[in-house]
Amino acid sequence: MTRRILIAGNWKMNLRLAASLELVDALKSEAAAVANVDIAVCPPSVYIQPIAVALKGTNIGVGAQNAYFEKDGAFTGEVGMEMLHDVGCQYVILGHSERRNILGESSEQVNLKTHAALAAGLIPIVCVGELLREREAGQTENVVRRQFDGSFSGDIENLVIAYEPIWAIGTGKVATPDQAEEVHLAIRKMIEKNYDKGVAEAVRIQYGGSVNDKNAREILAKPNVDGALVGGASLKVESFMGIIKSA
Ligand code: PEP
C-alpha cells in the first residue's frame, strides 16, 4: 500500500491576515506543480475562512489547530467541527502537545474530538509524543501507547497520527530519522494490534518537531514516515516549499 505524504503547516498563533494571505498566495503558485504530496496549512481559526477562499481550487488544503467536540450549544468561545467544515476546512489538528500541556487537554477529550471531526467529514491530525525526561527514562513507547489507547477508539482509517516528540517541538532539536522511524513503526504495530494490518497500512503517521528544508529529506525517506507536521518552518515560503519538495 502506498500512503500519500502529507505535509501540513501548523502556524500556531502567528501572522496577521495580510501576511497570511501573502504567504498562501506565494505558496499556491509555488506548489501548483506538486502532484505527489498532500499539502495543508493550519492558520488560527479566525483566518480559516479567508484563507480557504484564497486556496479554493488549488492543491493546498486548510486545517484548524483545534475545535470542540460538541456540535452546537452553550459553549462560549468554542468552535465546532461542522463549522470548520462549513468554511472550507478539511483537516483539524487535535491533541497538540501545546494544548495537552499548556491548556490541560486530556486524551479523553482528544478521543471525543477525533470522533466529532470524523463525523463532520474532517481529517483529524492527532498528535502524540513524549517529554525529554520520558525518553531519557526509556518510556517513549509506553507514553505513546497510553496516548494512543486514550485518544483513539472506533474507526481510525481516515485519520492521521502525528508523532511529535515534545523535546523536538520548536527547539531546533530534531529527532534522528532512526528515532522517528522506531516510534512510527511502534505506532503502526499498535494500530495492527488494536485494529488489523489493513488499517495499520492505511493510517498515515507524520513526524513533527523542528522539521526544516535541510533535515526533511532524510526523515521523509523512512518507510513509516508519511509526512511532516511543521511549525516554525511553515511560516516562510522557502522553507515550507523546501520541505514539500523533499518528499
Ligand atoms: C509543531 O508545532 O507541531 C511543530 C512541530 O513545531 P516546530 O516545527 O516549530 O518544531
Side-chain angles (χ1 to χ4, degrees):
M1 135 112 39
T2 45
R3 294 176 294 270
R4 268 178 78 79
I5 293 280
L6 170 62
I7 308 290
N10 174 13
W11 293 1
K12 310 194 188 196
M13 204 171 77
N14 289 301
L15 305 180
R16 297 292 180 268
L17 183 58
S20 303
L21 290 171
E22 220 173 277
L23 176 56
V24 293
D25 205 45
L27 280 176
K28 72 181 177 192
S29 45
E30 291 262 339
V34 176
N36 61 327
V37 177
D38 289 343
I39 306 168
V41 293
C42 304
S45 56
V46 69
Y47 298 141
I48 284 172
Q49 188 176 28
I51 287 171
V53 169
L55 290 174
K56 205 170 162 58
T58 73
N59 59 343
I60 305 177
V62 182
Q65 300 171 16
N66 175 49
Y68 199 50
F69 54 84
E70 295 284 1
K71 234 176 154 175
D72 292 284
F75 305 103
T76 302
E78 294 293 341
V79 171
M81 305 289 174
E82 283 184 10
M83 294 170 178
L84 294 176
H85 191 264
D86 195 29
V87 295
C89 223
Q90 292 106 31
Y91 300 89
V92 58
I93 300 171
L94 297 175
H96 190 281
S97 63
E98 287 150 18
R99 294 207 59 84
R100 289 182 190 260
N101 296 327
I102 302 172
L103 294 145
E105 199 161 288
S106 67
S107 289
E108 195 189 355
Q109 285 170 313
V110 176
N111 189 10
L112 290 169
K113 290 180 177 195
T114 303
H115 281 287
L118 288 168
L122 297 175
I123 299 173
I125 300 176
V126 185
C127 305
V128 295
E130 81 287 2
L131 294 162
L132 183 58
R133 68 173 148 75
E134 292 167 334
R135 171 162 284 268
E136 286 173 348
Q139 288 302 309
T140 299
E141 203 173 314
N142 286 343
V143 171
V144 170
R145 176 172 293 109
R146 231 178 12 251
Q147 290 169 337
F148 178 88
D149 287 340
S151 304
F152 309 120
S153 66
D155 186 6
I156 66 164
E157 206 150 330
N158 290 324
L159 64 75
V160 175
I161 297 174
Y163 168 57
E164 298 211 306
I166 294 162
W167 48 271
I169 297 177
T171 59
K173 255 198 243 167
V174 65
T176 66
D178 286 343
Q179 283 175 322
E181 174 64 16
E182 188 184 10
V183 181
H184 283 227
L185 182 60
I187 294 172
R188 211 170 294 289
K189 286 186 180 153
M190 290 173 208
I191 305 172
E192 187 172 339
K193 185 162 167 272
N194 288 14
Y195 297 86
D196 61 41
K197 205 169 173 54
V199 177
E201 285 299 312
V203 170
R204 291 186 285 185
I205 308 173
Q206 294 179 303
Y207 168 79
S210 296
V211 175
N212 60 36
D213 47 336
K214 313 265 177 326
N215 57 32
R217 189 174 301 278
E218 259 195 285
I219 297 172
L220 294 171
K222 288 293 179 186
N224 284 292
V225 176
D226 309 314
L229 183 55
V230 184
S234 70
L235 297 171
K236 295 234 156 63
V237 187
E238 305 72 37
S239 43
F240 195 50
M241 280 312 303
I243 294 166
I244 291 164
K245 287 177 181 165
S246 303

